[in-house]
Amino acid sequence: MASSGENKLFIKRNSSPFLAVLSAEGIVPKLLWTRRMDNGDVLTAQKWMKGRVLLPREMSSEQVADLLKKIHTSEPLLNMMRRLGKKPMTTTQILNQLESRAQGRNETRALRQSLNLLKDMAELAEFPNKMVCHSDINHNNWLLSHDEKSLYLVDWDQAVIADPAMDLAMLLYWYVEEDQWENWLGLYGLKLTRSLQLRLVWHMVAMTLRFMFWHQEHAEMKKMILFEKDLLWLNEYAADILP
């Protein structure tokens, strides 16, 4: 933070050019200026916002659905990601990454069942219309302005071009009761079809594996065990609804 009198700025060093597009689209707080320093570093200054992170119970709101829809349909975001060299991710690529990370780990029943499920359903879960996905829809990454009129989604380091079901699955699984999924998707602008349900479940399993591996790699074993328990439930859930 930098301040002068009552004015405050949020300063970042060597941030991605993606930040300028996010700012222009109103997805992150306004970018005020960019300056290149003598040592080659590039500083960016954003407007300092007074506000708070969203509470878990607020993640099912229409405001969240509207912003996520805006992100997923933004051509400027998609074009900038392409200019930065990002390629669309398929279900097969996601599966291959997870299988690679699984090597050398203790192969529990939950892990084996999950990888088999992802492999069996990868082709059916593939979706051709790829969009920009945040890929970490945690409530702590959603910032609401002090007057509650402006909502932002921050921390874009893991953004990818992929099936928007990647983001939708994470949000629904973590924050929306299952009997409300259809209603929330209606706010977003989608109907809960059989095809969408399959994609959502596929990405729920893939996302849970990804976070389980991350916590294991960072020696956070208690959190890893929680995600492993989620996998057991998801495997049973998927077996009941998938063909």
Side-chain angles (χ1 to χ4, degrees), residues 157-221:
D157 292 342
Q158 300 182 60
V160 294
I161 301 175
D163 182 353
M166 175 185 288
D167 284 344
L168 298 176
M170 194 179 305
L171 190 146
L172 290 172
Y173 184 57
W174 282 352
Y175 300 110
V176 183
E177 294 293 333
E178 185 184 355
D179 61 1
Q180 292 299 311
W181 287 2
E182 190 167 7
N183 290 339
W184 189 91
L185 287 167
L187 296 177
Y188 175 89
L190 283 178
K191 184 177 180 180
L192 184 57
T193 62
R194 183 71 173 167
S195 175
L196 176 57
Q197 187 180 36
L198 187 150
R199 288 160 51 205
L200 289 170
V201 172
W202 196 96
H203 282 284
M204 284 176 190
V205 174
M207 171 267 298
T208 303
L209 271 175
R210 178 163 63 94
F211 282 102
M212 186 185 79
F213 290 159
W214 190 92
H215 287 298
Q216 185 176 13
E217 290 160 0
H218 289 76
E220 298 178 357
M221 305 310 291

Side-chain angles (χ1 to χ4, degrees), residues 42-59:
V42 176
L43 299 184
T44 54
Q46 287 176 273
K47 184 177 180 181
W48 185 273
M49 301 292 299
K50 291 184 178 180
R52 60 176 177 83
V53 301
L54 284 189
L55 301 173
R57 59 179 171 78
E58 295 174 311
M59 289 291 289

